[in-house]
Amino acid sequence: MDNRETQCSGPAVALAFLGGAVAGVVAGLLLAPKPGAETRRALKRYARRAEEEVLEKAKEARAALDRAIKRGEHFLAAKTADVESAVKAGRETMKEKIDTCCS
């Protein structure tokens, strides 16, 4: 008898789980108590609802992205102004030091 342990990688386990889920869905559709036309209508309704939800979530995500971009633009403008004023102050201080040193 062999005492080696067998280990499965994460992707292999995920693939096995996904394959089992797909097989379950197919079996459920094939063995469903509803007639084919009724099942197709139910699937179409589900797909339509899923599409509407995805579109709504996409609109929400786009709005959130637009808000984040605006905040980033304002932040960048404020920091740019801070850096420009610091550089200007540094130049003025350097000119004053040069003038007092060399005069």
Side-chain angles (χ1 to χ4, degrees):
M1 187 164 238
D2 199 350
N3 288 336
R4 287 183 284 170
E5 290 183 30
T6 58
Q7 294 181 348
C8 296
S9 66
V13 171
L15 187 59
F17 178 77
L18 189 60
V22 169
V25 168
V26 169
L29 288 174
L30 292 175
L31 301 173
K34 296 179 183 178
E38 194 174 332
T39 301
R40 285 190 293 276
R41 279 194 302 273
L43 286 174
K44 284 180 185 178
R45 281 193 304 270
Y46 173 76
R48 211 173 295 122
R49 279 192 307 248
E51 179 185 18
E52 290 169 359
E53 288 177 13
V54 166
L55 289 174
E56 182 62 32
K57 294 295 181 187
K59 287 177 187 176
E60 291 173 9
R62 179 60 192 200
L65 179 63
D66 288 342
R67 287 191 301 272
I69 289 172
K70 286 289 185 200
R71 283 196 316 265
E73 288 172 347
H74 290 299
F75 177 80
L76 187 59
K79 294 305 172 187
T80 300
D82 290 347
V83 169
E84 287 174 351
S85 66
V87 168
K88 183 178 178 184
R91 283 185 182 151
E92 291 172 1
T93 303
M94 185 181 273
K95 283 182 185 179
E96 290 173 5
K97 295 291 181 182
I98 289 172
D99 287 344
T100 57
C101 173
C102 298
S103 299

